[in-house]
Amino acid sequence: MYPIMNRQAVLAVAPVGRLHVDHVKTISAAISARAADEVLVRVIYAQIASGTRAIMTHTTPFPMTIIGQPVFAAVVGEVIDGPAVGPAPGTMVTGFGGWAEYVLIPLAGVRPVSVETPLHHHVGVLGHNGLAAYFGMLSVSEAKTDETVVVSAAAGGVGHIAGQLARIAGARVIGITGSAAKNRVLEDELGFSATINRRSPTFASELQATCRDGVDVYFDNVGNPLLDKILPLMADHGRVVCCGAVASYDGVDDNVKIPGPHGIPQLIINKALRMQGILTSDFVRKWNHALEQLAAWTRDGVLIPVTKIWDGLDNAPQALVSMLAGDNLGQVVVQVGSEPS
Ligand SMILES: NC(=O)c1ccc[n+]([C@@H]2O[C@H](COP(=O)([O-])OP(=O)(O)OC[C@H]3O[C@@H](n4cnc5c(N)ncnc54)[C@H](OP(=O)(O)O)[C@@H]3O)[C@@H](O)[C@H]2O)c1
């Protein structure tokens, strides 16, 4: 039956300072009429991404979340209705929608997905975060056997996949996180060679000791202040992959300029470093191949995706607040609707 009302978690007010659950409110509103080229999707899982906080107030390559509109997010769910040339009702698809029970997505932005993997993987390892890790680590960084690769926010949605891909490429992987418990999982279960707690009072000396022979690749999810500490440790011809800048998303006013790393360009020149941003949209033609490889590695147990699932749309704001505070391991998703039986 065609739904009439739609529960949605909408941005109530643009956050100033740190995100609080009251910045988002849950409302019920009538579903807008579907345009001819739109697909109506019943959302089963919505992604919780640290970038979700950025697009509430900061300029990024993604559309900003508008006050009164569902918080913008990748979703996976079931087609309810759409143009005859599109996926049939009942097909599982992914695309960018929002925190809501139902979303309308332009047909061009909808991608049918396999139901042979856990459905939530399509907003995690087989979604935007998996693609960022894949292209950032395997295309941009060109990490090689026996090289030293450092990953920041290494236990997060992107980081825990990026680190494992470096391990698959044969590199020695060092993860930086904010907790000893996360570090144990990275070393004991996900094959990281070493880890460092960024909150440790001896962080700088531990970093230096662990990267004694220089860092060949730094996969940066955080931006300053970690970038400032790692740049001087880069090896000659090292590569810095700029994937994200989570340290500047929450509690930082977009109008306030965050100080950038020191020593540029001299450090870049002295060591012939390469520093490059990664945007998954630059690799659209290679997405299918990447997703097949990520799915195969996951199926074979070489790559181990970790997911934290929050239950219910009402918990989406708390899930994001917790993630920004570092209280997450692996990909965070919220289950909005039930999986088909
Ligand atoms: N370029 C692209 O195409 C692309 C695509 C997807 C995501 N991204 C980027 O990838 C990064 C990771 O995204 P995600 O969704 O997977 O988030 P996430 O890593 O799962 O969660 C964010 C983590 O960042 C760490 N963190 C938070 N504040 C910090 C601070 N002030 N300093 C240092 N670390 C801090 C925390 O981990 P610890 O406490 O353990 O350090 C937290 O758990 C983000 O920067 C995002 O924008 C980029």
Side-chain angles (χ1 to χ4, degrees), residues 283-297:
F283 298 90
V284 173
R285 292 212 182 124
K286 297 180 177 171
W287 280 15
N288 283 345
H289 175 70
L291 292 170
E292 278 165 24
Q293 266 210 319
L294 288 165
W297 280 326

Side-chain angles (χ1 to χ4, degrees), residues 33-104:
R34 182 180 69 76
D37 66 343
E38 284 181 330
V39 179
L40 177 66
V41 176
R42 179 178 73 83
V43 175
I44 299 175
Y45 295 101
Q47 187 190 24
I48 306 293
S50 53
T52 307
R53 169 64 185 90
I55 60 175
M56 289 177 178
T57 43
H58 297 29
T59 307
T60 76
F62 290 97
M64 278 185 88
T65 292
I66 297 164
I67 293 172
Q69 292 294 311
V71 173
F72 184 79
V75 300
V76 60
E78 175 186 17
V79 172
I80 300 294
D81 189 23
V85 293
T91 308
M92 290 297 158
V93 295
T94 186
F96 282 108
W99 292 354
E101 289 178 335
Y102 296 91
V103 291
L104 288 164

Side-chain angles (χ1 to χ4, degrees), residues 185-260:
V185 175
L186 294 188
E187 288 191 38
D188 296 350
E189 297 174 29
L190 305 186
F192 281 60
S193 313
T195 51
I196 312 173
N197 185 342
R198 68 180 168 90
R199 299 184 202 270
S200 161
T202 54
F203 172 73
S205 58
E206 286 178 57
L207 185 67
Q208 258 179 343
T210 315
C211 303
R212 191 169 294 119
D213 298 326
V215 176
D216 297 294
V217 170
Y218 174 42
F219 191 101
D220 185 7
N221 286 313
V222 167
N224 256 4
L226 290 184
L227 182 57
D228 227 5
K229 300 203 170 59
I230 293 164
L231 265 183
L233 303 180
M234 296 299 295
D236 288 356
H237 302 284
R239 288 85 69 200
V240 178
V241 181
C242 301
C243 180
V246 67
S248 59
Y249 295 167
D250 196 28
V252 178
D253 188 331
D254 201 18
N255 299 318
V256 177
K257 295 276 172 265
I258 310 248

Side-chain angles (χ1 to χ4, degrees), residues 11 29 47 56 77 85 103 129 131 135 141 182 205 207 227 261 273 295 297 309 316 331 333:
L11 187 63
Q47 187 190 24
M56 289 177 178
V85 293
V103 291
N129 277 359
L131 290 170
F135 292 113
S141 96
K182 290 184 188 184
S205 58
L207 185 67
L227 182 57
L273 304 180
W297 280 326
I309 302 176
Q331 179 62 54
V333 303

